[in-house]
Amino acid sequence: MSPAGIRAADDQAHAARTLWNLLHAWWQMMPKEKRTLANADAAIRQARKDIDFLTVLPAQAAQTVLKTYFQAWKNCWEHRADAPNFKGRFRTVMSVDIPQGRDLNITRVHRRWGMVNVPKVGRVRFRWTKDLPVGKRADAENRITGARLVKDALGWHIAFRVQTLQDKPEPHPGPDIGIDMGVTVPLALSDGETFEHGEWLTQKEKAKLLHLEQRAAQRKKHRRSGESTSRRLHRTYDRIAGLRAKAKRRALDWQHRTTTVIARTYGTVVVEALTITNMVTSARGTIEAPGKNVAQKSGLNRSISGEAWGRTVTMLTYKTARLGGTLVKVSAPGTSRRCSACGLTTPGSRESQAVFVCKNPDCGWSGNADHNAARNVLHLYRTGLALVPAAGRAVVRRAKRVKPATAR
C-alpha cells in the first residue's frame, strides 16, 4: 500500500472508531424507548453531515459500525459478552469493514499477488495466500461477500469474507486421541507423539528486542514530567511492537499447522476443560497477606499466556467439525497426578516435570508425565465422563458410547 493509501486507511479507521464512540454516547443519553435502529441510523446520518472528518468513511462502512454496535448489545443481553464501551485510541485495533463484495473488484496479477479495490483508498496490492472465488469461479453459492482491513504493528492486512456451500462431512474414521497441554511440552498426545516449537524470535532478533527495550527505557527516564512523548521514542516503540507482532504471527502459524495435522489424523480429540483465567491469576496477594513466589508465578503466567491454549482449542473445535471429527472436553483436575496404568493417585508419583513413576507397590509404572496425563484425559472420555455445554456452563454427563477403559 502506498503512503497515501496508508494515510487514507488510517483516517477511515479513526473515523470508524470515532463513530462508534459517538454512537455509544448517543446510546447512553437516549431513553430506553428511543434506542432503536432507525433512530441510531438517523443520528449517524446527522453526525456525518455535521462532522467533516466522518465523511472519509464510506457510507456502507458507517452502516456496518451501526450493525456491529447493536450486535454487541445483543451479545451482552444473551450473556455471550460484556457490555460495549468506548474505544480508546491506542488500545483499539484499527480496522475498516468493506461490507459489499461487489465493490472489491478483485483481480489476480500472478501467482503470489492480487489487486483489490478499497473504497476511498484505491487499488491495493495484496499477497495471494489462498484461492478465492473470483471471475469464472464465482457464482451464487461461492462468492466473496465483503472484506475487512486490519492494522497491526507490521502494517495493513486484508481478510476476505467468503460464502461457500460445503457438503456435510462424513464421520472421520480416525482414532481417538487425548491431548495434554503444557508449557515445557506444548502438546502431548496419548499415543506418545508430541508437538513442540522453538523460540519465536532468533537470537539476533531477541538481542535487537532487548536493545530496543533498553533504549526505550533510557529515553523514557530522561523525559520530564508532563512532557509529550518524543518522535524518537514513538519510533522505538513501533520497532518493538513490530518484533513482537512477528513473534505472534509465527506462533499463530505454528498453531494452525499443528491443529490441522491433528484434525486430519484423529476422529475424536479429547482435551482438558481448563479455566485459564484462574490459572494465570497473580500470586501477589494483599498487604495483610502477601503472596509467595510472586516472581516465579509471574513467569509461569507469562508462559501459559504465551502458549495460548484457548486459541488452540478454538482451532481444534472448528477444524475437527469441518473434517467430520469431534472435540470433547473432560474435567482437568487430577489428570497429571493419577497413574494411567492402575488409575490410582499415589503421593510422590510425579517425581519431576517430565517423569512420572507410580508409587503404588502393585503397579510401579513409569513414563513421560505429559503422556501419562494425556492417557488419563482419553480414559475419562472412554469411560463416558465428558463435559457437555448446557445453559452456558459445563456439566458432567454420561456419554452414550462407552469404550474400553484401556488407554493406548
Side-chain angles (χ1 to χ4, degrees), residues 163-245:
Q163 174 184 307
T164 181
L165 183 63
Q166 294 183 347
D167 297 332
K168 185 177 180 180
E170 296 293 333
H172 199 294
D176 304 337
I177 196 69
I179 298 179
D180 175 69
M181 290 179 283
V183 175
T184 306
V185 179
L187 296 178
L189 276 58
S190 57
D191 59 359
E193 188 174 357
T194 58
F195 291 92
E196 302 182 41
H197 58 76
E199 297 289 339
W200 303 126
L201 295 176
T202 63
Q203 293 296 328
K204 186 176 180 180
E205 290 171 337
K206 288 194 292 185
K208 184 179 180 180
L209 178 61
L210 178 60
H211 174 69
L212 291 173
E213 291 176 342
Q214 291 174 346
R215 178 188 297 179
Q218 183 179 11
R219 289 176 176 174
K220 185 177 180 180
K221 181 178 64 175
H222 292 288
R223 187 179 61 180
R224 298 175 182 176
S225 178
E227 184 180 359
S228 60
T229 305
S230 64
R231 292 184 178 180
R232 286 186 178 182
L233 185 55
H234 271 304
R235 286 196 294 267
T236 304
Y237 285 152
D238 292 340
R239 296 175 67 182
I240 292 173
L243 286 173
R244 291 176 177 172

Coordinates of all heavy atoms in Angstrom, one line a residue, residues 163-245:
Q163 N -18.5 -16.7 1.1 CA -19.6 -17.5 1.3 C -19.5 -18.7 0.3 O -19.3 -18.6 -0.9 CB -20.9 -16.8 0.9 CG -22.2 -17.6 0.9 CD -23.4 -16.8 0.5 OE1 -23.7 -15.8 1.1 NE2 -24.1 -17.3 -0.5
T164 N -19.5 -19.9 0.9 CA -19.3 -21.1 0.1 C -20.3 -22.2 0.6 O -20.6 -22.2 1.8 CB -17.9 -21.6 0.2 OG1 -17.7 -22.8 -0.6 CG2 -17.5 -21.9 1.6
L165 N -20.6 -23.1 -0.3 CA -21.5 -24.2 0.0 C -20.7 -25.4 0.1 O -20.0 -25.8 -0.8 CB -22.6 -24.3 -1.1 CG -23.6 -25.4 -0.9 CD1 -24.5 -25.1 0.4 CD2 -24.5 -25.6 -2.1
Q166 N -20.7 -26.0 1.3 CA -20.0 -27.3 1.5 C -20.9 -28.4 1.9 O -21.9 -28.2 2.7 CB -18.9 -27.0 2.7 CG -17.8 -26.0 2.3 CD -16.8 -25.9 3.4 OE1 -17.0 -26.4 4.5 NE2 -15.7 -25.3 3.1
D167 N -20.6 -29.6 1.4 CA -21.3 -30.7 1.8 C -21.0 -31.1 3.2 O -20.0 -30.8 3.8 CB -21.0 -31.9 0.9 CG -21.4 -31.6 -0.6 OD1 -22.3 -30.8 -0.8 OD2 -20.7 -32.1 -1.5
K168 N -22.0 -31.8 3.9 CA -21.8 -32.3 5.2 C -20.8 -33.3 5.2 O -20.9 -34.3 4.5 CB -23.1 -32.8 5.8 CG -23.1 -33.2 7.2 CD -24.4 -33.7 7.8 CE -24.3 -34.1 9.2 NZ -25.6 -34.6 9.7
P169 N -19.7 -33.2 6.0 CA -18.6 -34.1 6.0 C -19.0 -35.5 6.6 O -19.9 -35.6 7.4 CB -17.5 -33.5 6.9 CG -18.3 -32.6 7.8 CD -19.5 -32.1 7.0
E170 N -18.4 -36.5 6.0 CA -18.6 -37.8 6.5 C -17.9 -38.0 7.9 O -16.9 -37.3 8.2 CB -18.1 -38.9 5.5 CG -18.8 -38.9 4.2 CD -20.2 -39.4 4.3 OE1 -20.5 -40.2 5.3 OE2 -21.1 -39.0 3.5
P171 N -18.4 -38.9 8.7 CA -17.7 -39.1 10.0 C -16.3 -39.5 9.8 O -15.9 -40.3 9.0 CB -18.5 -40.2 10.7 CG -19.9 -40.2 10.0 CD -19.6 -39.7 8.6
H172 N -15.4 -38.9 10.6 CA -14.0 -39.1 10.5 C -13.6 -40.5 11.0 O -14.0 -40.9 12.1 CB -13.2 -38.1 11.3 CG -11.8 -37.9 10.9 ND1 -10.8 -38.9 11.1 CD2 -11.1 -36.9 10.4 CE1 -9.7 -38.5 10.7 NE2 -9.8 -37.3 10.2
P173 N -12.9 -41.3 10.1 CA -12.6 -42.7 10.5 C -11.4 -42.8 11.4 O -11.0 -43.9 11.8 CB -12.4 -43.4 9.2 CG -11.8 -42.3 8.3 CD -12.5 -41.0 8.8
G174 N -10.8 -41.7 11.8 CA -9.5 -41.7 12.6 C -9.8 -42.2 14.0 O -10.9 -42.2 14.5
P175 N -8.7 -42.5 14.7 CA -8.8 -43.0 16.1 C -9.0 -41.8 17.1 O -9.0 -40.7 16.7 CB -7.4 -43.6 16.3 CG -6.5 -42.9 15.4 CD -7.3 -42.5 14.2
D176 N -9.3 -42.2 18.3 CA -9.5 -41.2 19.4 C -8.1 -40.8 19.9 O -7.2 -41.7 19.9 CB -10.4 -41.7 20.5 CG -11.7 -42.2 20.0 OD1 -12.1 -41.7 18.9 OD2 -12.4 -43.0 20.6
I177 N -8.0 -39.6 20.4 CA -6.7 -39.2 21.0 C -7.0 -38.2 22.1 O -7.9 -37.4 22.1 CB -5.9 -38.4 19.9 CG1 -4.4 -38.3 20.3 CG2 -6.5 -37.1 19.5 CD1 -3.7 -39.6 20.4
G178 N -6.2 -38.3 23.2 CA -6.2 -37.4 24.3 C -5.0 -36.5 24.2 O -3.9 -36.9 23.8
I179 N -5.2 -35.2 24.6 CA -4.2 -34.2 24.5 C -4.0 -33.5 25.8 O -5.0 -33.1 26.5 CB -4.5 -33.1 23.4 CG1 -4.7 -33.8 22.0 CG2 -3.5 -32.0 23.4 CD1 -5.0 -32.8 21.0
D180 N -2.7 -33.4 26.2 CA -2.4 -32.7 27.4 C -1.6 -31.5 27.0 O -0.6 -31.6 26.3 CB -1.5 -33.6 28.4 CG -1.1 -32.8 29.6 OD1 -1.9 -32.4 30.5 OD2 0.2 -32.5 29.7
M181 N -2.0 -30.3 27.4 CA -1.4 -29.0 27.0 C -0.5 -28.5 28.2 O -1.0 -28.5 29.4 CB -2.4 -28.0 26.7 CG -3.1 -28.3 25.3 SD -4.4 -27.1 24.9 CE -5.7 -27.6 26.0
G182 N 0.7 -28.2 27.9 CA 1.6 -27.7 28.9 C 2.5 -26.6 28.5 O 2.3 -26.0 27.4
V183 N 3.5 -26.3 29.3 CA 4.4 -25.2 29.0 C 5.7 -25.7 28.4 O 6.2 -25.3 27.4 CB 4.7 -24.3 30.2 CG1 5.7 -23.3 30.0 CG2 3.4 -23.7 30.7
T184 N 6.3 -26.7 29.1 CA 7.5 -27.3 28.6 C 7.3 -28.1 27.3 O 8.0 -27.9 26.3 CB 8.2 -28.2 29.7 OG1 8.3 -27.5 30.9 CG2 9.5 -28.7 29.2
V185 N 6.3 -28.9 27.3 CA 5.8 -29.6 26.1 C 4.5 -29.0 25.7 O 3.5 -29.3 26.4 CB 5.7 -31.1 26.3 CG1 5.3 -31.8 25.1 CG2 7.1 -31.7 26.7
P186 N 4.4 -28.2 24.7 CA 3.1 -27.6 24.4 C 1.9 -28.5 24.2 O 0.9 -28.3 24.8 CB 3.4 -26.8 23.1 CG 4.9 -26.6 23.1 CD 5.4 -27.8 23.8
L187 N 2.1 -29.6 23.4 CA 1.0 -30.6 23.1 C 1.6 -32.0 23.2 O 2.5 -32.3 22.4 CB 0.4 -30.3 21.8 CG -0.3 -29.0 21.5 CD1 -0.9 -28.9 20.1 CD2 -1.5 -28.8 22.5
A188 N 1.1 -32.7 24.2 CA 1.5 -34.1 24.3 C 0.3 -35.0 24.1 O -0.8 -34.8 24.7 CB 2.1 -34.4 25.7
L189 N 0.4 -36.0 23.2 CA -0.7 -36.8 22.8 C -0.6 -38.2 23.5 O 0.5 -38.6 23.9 CB -0.7 -37.1 21.3 CG -1.4 -36.0 20.4 CD1 -0.7 -34.6 20.6 CD2 -1.3 -36.4 19.0
S190 N -1.8 -38.8 23.7 CA -1.8 -40.1 24.4 C -1.2 -41.2 23.7 O -0.9 -42.3 24.3 CB -3.3 -40.4 24.7 OG -4.1 -40.5 23.5
D191 N -0.9 -41.1 22.4 CA -0.2 -42.2 21.7 C 1.3 -42.0 21.7 O 2.0 -42.8 21.0 CB -0.7 -42.2 20.2 CG -0.5 -40.9 19.5 OD1 0.1 -40.0 20.1 OD2 -0.8 -40.9 18.3
G192 N 1.8 -41.1 22.5 CA 3.2 -40.9 22.6 C 3.8 -39.8 21.7 O 5.0 -39.5 21.9
E193 N 3.1 -39.2 20.9 CA 3.6 -38.2 20.0 C 3.5 -36.8 20.7 O 2.6 -36.6 21.5 CB 2.8 -38.1 18.7 CG 3.4 -37.2 17.6 CD 2.7 -37.3 16.3 OE1 1.8 -38.1 16.2 OE2 3.1 -36.5 15.4
T194 N 4.4 -35.9 20.4 CA 4.5 -34.6 20.9 C 4.6 -33.6 19.8 O 5.2 -33.9 18.8 CB 5.6 -34.4 21.9 OG1 6.9 -34.7 21.3 CG2 5.5 -35.3 23.1
F195 N 4.1 -32.4 20.1 CA 4.3 -31.2 19.1 C 4.9 -30.1 19.9 O 4.4 -29.6 20.9 CB 2.9 -30.8 18.6 CG 2.3 -31.8 17.7 CD1 1.4 -32.7 18.1 CD2 2.5 -31.7 16.3 CE1 0.8 -33.6 17.3 CE2 1.9 -32.6 15.4 CZ 1.1 -33.6 15.9
E196 N 6.2 -29.8 19.5 CA 6.9 -28.8 20.2 C 7.4 -27.7 19.2 O 7.3 -27.9 18.0 CB 8.2 -29.4 20.9 CG 7.8 -30.5 21.9 CD 9.1 -31.1 22.6 OE1 9.9 -30.2 22.9 OE2 9.1 -32.3 22.7
H197 N 7.8 -26.6 19.8 CA 8.3 -25.5 19.0 C 9.5 -24.8 19.7 O 9.6 -25.0 20.9 CB 7.2 -24.5 18.7 CG 6.6 -23.9 20.0 ND1 7.3 -22.9 20.7 CD2 5.4 -24.1 20.6 CE1 6.5 -22.6 21.8 NE2 5.4 -23.3 21.8
G198 N 10.2 -24.1 18.9 CA 11.4 -23.4 19.5 C 11.0 -22.0 19.9 O 9.8 -21.6 20.0
E199 N 12.0 -21.1 20.0 CA 11.7 -19.7 20.2 C 11.1 -19.1 19.0 O 11.5 -19.4 17.9 CB 13.0 -19.0 20.6 CG 13.7 -19.6 21.9 CD 12.9 -19.2 23.2 OE1 12.1 -18.2 23.1 OE2 13.0 -19.8 24.2
W200 N 10.2 -18.1 19.3 CA 9.6 -17.4 18.1 C 10.5 -16.4 17.5 O 10.3 -16.0 16.4 CB 8.3 -16.8 18.6 CG 7.3 -17.7 19.2 CD1 6.7 -17.6 20.4 CD2 6.8 -18.9 18.7 NE1 5.9 -18.7 20.7 CE2 5.9 -19.5 19.6 CE3 7.0 -19.6 17.4 CZ2 5.2 -20.7 19.4 CZ3 6.3 -20.8 17.2 CH2 5.4 -21.3 18.2
L201 N 11.5 -15.9 18.2 CA 12.5 -15.0 17.6 C 13.9 -15.6 17.6 O 14.2 -16.4 18.5 CB 12.5 -13.7 18.5 CG 11.2 -12.9 18.5 CD1 11.4 -11.7 19.4 CD2 10.9 -12.4 17.1
T202 N 14.7 -15.3 16.6 CA 16.0 -15.8 16.6 C 16.9 -15.0 17.6 O 16.4 -14.1 18.2 CB 16.6 -15.5 15.2 OG1 16.6 -14.1 14.9 CG2 15.7 -16.2 14.1
Q203 N 18.1 -15.5 17.8 CA 19.0 -14.9 18.8 C 19.3 -13.5 18.4 O 19.3 -12.6 19.3 CB 20.3 -15.7 18.9 CG 20.1 -17.1 19.5 CD 19.6 -17.0 21.0 OE1 19.9 -16.1 21.7 NE2 18.9 -18.1 21.4
K204 N 19.5 -13.2 17.1 CA 19.7 -11.9 16.7 C 18.5 -11.0 16.9 O 18.6 -9.8 17.3 CB 20.1 -11.9 15.2 CG 20.5 -10.5 14.6 CD 20.9 -10.7 13.2 CE 21.3 -9.3 12.6 NZ 21.8 -9.4 11.2
E205 N 17.3 -11.5 16.7 CA 16.1 -10.7 16.9 C 15.9 -10.5 18.4 O 15.4 -9.4 18.8 CB 14.9 -11.4 16.2 CG 14.9 -11.4 14.7 CD 13.8 -12.3 14.1 OE1 13.4 -13.2 14.9 OE2 13.5 -12.1 13.0
K206 N 16.1 -11.4 19.2 CA 16.0 -11.2 20.7 C 17.0 -10.2 21.2 O 16.6 -9.4 22.1 CB 16.1 -12.6 21.4 CG 15.0 -13.5 21.2 CD 15.0 -14.7 22.1 CE 16.2 -15.6 21.9 NZ 16.1 -16.8 22.8
A207 N 18.2 -10.2 20.7 CA 19.2 -9.2 21.1 C 18.7 -7.8 20.6 O 18.9 -6.9 21.4 CB 20.5 -9.6 20.5
K208 N 18.2 -7.8 19.4 CA 17.7 -6.5 19.0 C 16.5 -6.0 19.8 O 16.4 -4.8 20.1 CB 17.3 -6.6 17.5 CG 16.8 -5.3 16.8 CD 16.5 -5.6 15.4 CE 16.0 -4.2 14.7 NZ 15.7 -4.5 13.3
L209 N 15.6 -6.9 20.2 CA 14.5 -6.5 21.0 C 14.9 -6.0 22.4 O 14.4 -5.0 22.9 CB 13.5 -7.7 21.2 CG 12.3 -7.5 22.1 CD1 11.4 -6.4 21.5 CD2 11.5 -8.8 22.2
L210 N 15.9 -6.7 23.0 CA 16.4 -6.3 24.3 C 17.1 -4.9 24.1 O 16.9 -4.0 25.0 CB 17.5 -7.3 24.8 CG 18.2 -6.9 26.1 CD1 17.1 -6.8 27.2 CD2 19.2 -8.0 26.4
H211 N 17.8 -4.7 23.1 CA 18.5 -3.4 22.9 C 17.4 -2.3 22.7 O 17.5 -1.2 23.3 CB 19.3 -3.4 21.6 CG 19.9 -2.1 21.2 ND1 20.9 -1.4 22.0 CD2 19.7 -1.3 20.2 CE1 21.2 -0.3 21.4 NE2 20.5 -0.2 20.3
L212 N 16.3 -2.5 22.0 CA 15.3 -1.5 21.8 C 14.6 -1.2 23.1 O 14.2 -0.1 23.4 CB 14.3 -2.0 20.7 CG 14.8 -2.0 19.3 CD1 13.8 -2.7 18.4 CD2 15.2 -0.6 18.8
E213 N 14.3 -2.3 23.9 CA 13.6 -2.1 25.2 C 14.5 -1.2 26.1 O 14.0 -0.4 26.8 CB 13.3 -3.4 25.8 CG 12.2 -4.2 25.0 CD 11.9 -5.5 25.6 OE1 12.8 -6.0 26.3 OE2 10.9 -6.1 25.3
Q214 N 15.8 -1.5 26.1 CA 16.7 -0.7 27.0 C 16.8 0.7 26.5 O 16.8 1.7 27.3 CB 18.1 -1.3 26.9 CG 18.2 -2.7 27.7 CD 19.5 -3.3 27.5 OE1 20.4 -2.9 26.7 NE2 19.8 -4.3 28.3
R215 N 16.8 0.9 25.2 CA 16.8 2.3 24.6 C 15.5 3.0 25.0 O 15.5 4.2 25.3 CB 17.0 2.3 23.1 CG 16.9 3.6 22.5 CD 16.9 3.5 21.0 NE 18.1 2.9 20.4 CZ 18.3 2.7 19.1 NH1 17.4 3.0 18.2 NH2 19.4 2.1 18.7
A216 N 14.3 2.3 24.9 CA 13.1 3.0 25.2 C 13.0 3.3 26.7 O 12.6 4.4 27.1 CB 11.9 2.0 24.9
A217 N 13.5 2.5 27.6 CA 13.6 2.8 29.0 C 14.5 3.9 29.3 O 14.1 4.8 30.1 CB 14.0 1.5 29.8
Q218 N 15.6 4.0 28.6 CA 16.5 5.2 28.8 C 15.9 6.5 28.4 O 16.0 7.5 29.1 CB 17.8 4.9 28.1 CG 18.9 6.0 28.3 CD 20.2 5.7 27.6 OE1 20.2 4.8 26.8 NE2 21.2 6.4 27.9
R219 N 15.3 6.5 27.2 CA 14.6 7.7 26.7 C 13.4 8.1 27.5 O 13.2 9.3 27.7 CB 14.2 7.5 25.3 CG 15.4 7.5 24.3 CD 15.0 7.2 22.9 NE 16.2 7.3 22.0 CZ 16.2 6.9 20.7 NH1 15.0 6.5 20.2 NH2 17.3 7.0 20.0
K220 N 12.7 7.1 28.1 CA 11.6 7.4 28.9 C 12.0 8.0 30.2 O 11.4 8.8 30.8 CB 10.7 6.2 29.1 CG 9.4 6.4 29.9 CD 8.6 5.1 30.0 CE 7.3 5.4 30.8 NZ 6.6 4.1 30.9
K221 N 13.2 7.5 30.7 CA 13.7 8.0 32.0 C 14.1 9.5 31.9 O 13.9 10.2 32.9 CB 14.9 7.2 32.4 CG 15.5 7.6 33.7 CD 16.7 6.6 34.1 CE 17.8 6.8 33.1 NZ 19.0 6.0 33.5
H222 N 14.6 9.9 30.8 CA 15.0 11.3 30.7 C 13.9 12.2 30.3 O 14.1 13.4 30.1 CB 16.1 11.4 29.6 CG 17.4 10.8 30.1 ND1 18.2 11.3 31.0 CD2 18.0 9.6 29.7 CE1 19.3 10.6 31.3 NE2 19.2 9.5 30.4
R223 N 12.7 11.7 30.1 CA 11.5 12.6 29.7 C 11.0 13.2 31.0 O 10.8 12.6 32.0 CB 10.4 11.7 29.1 CG 9.3 12.5 28.5 CD 8.2 11.7 27.9 NE 7.6 10.7 28.9 CZ 6.7 9.8 28.6 NH1 6.3 9.8 27.3 NH2 6.2 9.1 29.5
R224 N 10.8 14.5 30.9 CA 10.3 15.3 32.0 C 8.8 15.0 32.3 O 8.1 14.6 31.4 CB 10.5 16.8 31.8 CG 12.0 17.2 31.6 CD 12.1 18.6 31.3 NE 13.5 19.0 31.1 CZ 13.9 20.2 30.7 NH1 13.0 21.2 30.4 NH2 15.2 20.5 30.5
S225 N 8.4 15.3 33.5 CA 7.0 15.1 33.9 C 6.1 16.0 33.1 O 6.3 17.2 33.1 CB 6.8 15.3 35.4 OG 5.5 15.1 35.8
G226 N 5.1 15.4 32.5 CA 4.2 16.2 31.7 C 4.6 16.4 30.3 O 3.8 17.0 29.5
E227 N 5.8 16.1 29.9 CA 6.3 16.3 28.6 C 5.8 15.2 27.6 O 5.7 14.0 28.0 CB 7.8 16.2 28.6 CG 8.5 16.6 27.2 CD 10.0 16.5 27.3 OE1 10.5 16.2 28.4 OE2 10.7 16.7 26.3
S228 N 5.4 15.6 26.4 CA 4.9 14.6 25.5 C 6.0 13.7 25.0 O 7.1 14.0 25.0 CB 4.3 15.3 24.3 OG 5.2 16.1 23.6
T229 N 5.5 12.5 24.5 CA 6.5 11.5 24.1 C 7.1 12.0 22.8 O 6.5 12.4 21.8 CB 5.8 10.2 23.8 OG1 5.1 9.8 25.0 CG2 6.7 9.1 23.4
S230 N 8.4 11.8 22.7 CA 9.2 12.3 21.5 C 8.9 11.4 20.3 O 8.5 10.2 20.5 CB 10.7 12.4 21.8 OG 11.2 11.1 22.1
R231 N 9.3 11.8 19.2 CA 9.1 11.0 18.0 C 10.1 9.9 18.0 O 9.8 8.8 17.5 CB 9.3 11.9 16.7 CG 8.2 12.9 16.5 CD 8.4 13.6 15.2 NE 7.4 14.6 14.9 CZ 7.3 15.4 13.9 NH1 8.2 15.3 12.9 NH2 6.3 16.2 13.7
R232 N 11.3 10.1 18.5 CA 12.3 9.0 18.6 C 11.7 7.9 19.5 O 11.9 6.7 19.1 CB 13.6 9.5 19.2 CG 14.4 10.4 18.2 CD 15.7 10.8 18.8 NE 16.5 11.5 17.9 CZ 17.8 12.0 18.1 NH1 18.3 11.7 19.3 NH2 18.4 12.6 17.2
L233 N 11.1 8.2 20.6 CA 10.6 7.2 21.5 C 9.4 6.5 20.8 O 9.3 5.2 21.0 CB 10.1 7.8 22.8 CG 9.6 6.8 23.9 CD1 10.7 5.8 24.2 CD2 9.3 7.6 25.2
H234 N 8.6 7.2 20.1 CA 7.5 6.6 19.3 C 8.0 5.6 18.3 O 7.5 4.5 18.1 CB 6.6 7.6 18.6 CG 5.5 8.1 19.5 ND1 4.6 7.3 20.1 CD2 5.2 9.4 19.9 CE1 3.7 8.0 20.8 NE2 4.1 9.3 20.7
R235 N 9.1 6.0 17.6 CA 9.7 5.0 16.6 C 10.3 3.8 17.3 O 10.2 2.7 16.7 CB 10.8 5.8 15.8 CG 10.2 6.8 14.8 CD 11.3 7.2 13.8 NE 12.3 7.9 14.4 CZ 12.4 9.2 14.5 NH1 11.4 10.0 14.0 NH2 13.4 9.9 15.1
T236 N 10.9 4.0 18.5 CA 11.4 2.8 19.2 C 10.3 1.9 19.6 O 10.4 0.7 19.5 CB 12.2 3.3 20.4 OG1 13.2 4.2 20.0 CG2 12.8 2.1 21.1
Y237 N 9.2 2.5 20.1 CA 8.0 1.6 20.5 C 7.5 0.9 19.2 O 7.1 -0.3 19.3 CB 6.9 2.5 21.1 CG 7.2 3.0 22.5 CD1 6.6 4.2 23.0 CD2 8.0 2.2 23.3 CE1 6.9 4.6 24.3 CE2 8.2 2.6 24.6 CZ 7.7 3.8 25.1 OH 7.9 4.2 26.4
D238 N 7.5 1.5 18.1 CA 7.0 0.9 16.9 C 7.8 -0.3 16.5 O 7.3 -1.3 16.0 CB 6.9 1.9 15.7 CG 5.8 3.0 15.9 OD1 4.9 2.7 16.8 OD2 5.9 4.0 15.3
R239 N 9.2 -0.1 16.6 CA 10.1 -1.2 16.2 C 9.9 -2.4 17.2 O 10.0 -3.6 16.8 CB 11.5 -0.7 16.2 CG 11.8 0.3 15.1 CD 13.2 0.9 15.2 NE 14.2 -0.1 14.9 CZ 15.5 0.1 14.9 NH1 15.9 1.3 15.3 NH2 16.3 -0.9 14.6
I240 N 9.7 -2.1 18.5 CA 9.4 -3.1 19.5 C 8.1 -3.9 19.2 O 8.1 -5.1 19.2 CB 9.4 -2.5 20.9 CG1 10.8 -2.0 21.3 CG2 8.9 -3.6 21.9 CD1 10.8 -1.3 22.6
A241 N 7.1 -3.1 18.9 CA 5.8 -3.7 18.5 C 5.9 -4.6 17.2 O 5.3 -5.6 17.1 CB 4.8 -2.7 18.3
G242 N 6.8 -4.2 16.3 CA 7.0 -4.9 15.1 C 7.6 -6.3 15.3 O 7.2 -7.3 14.8
L243 N 8.6 -6.3 16.2 CA 9.2 -7.6 16.6 C 8.3 -8.5 17.3 O 8.2 -9.7 17.1 CB 10.5 -7.4 17.4 CG 11.7 -6.8 16.6 CD1 12.8 -6.5 17.6 CD2 12.2 -7.9 15.6
R244 N 7.5 -8.0 18.2 CA 6.5 -8.8 19.0 C 5.4 -9.3 18.0 O 4.9 -10.4 18.2 CB 6.0 -8.0 20.1 CG 7.0 -7.7 21.2 CD 6.4 -6.8 22.3 NE 7.4 -6.6 23.4 CZ 7.2 -5.8 24.4 NH1 6.1 -5.1 24.5 NH2 8.2 -5.7 25.3
A245 N 5.0 -8.5 17.1 CA 4.0 -8.9 16.1 C 4.5 -10.0 15.3 O 3.8 -11.0 14.9 CB 3.5 -7.7 15.3

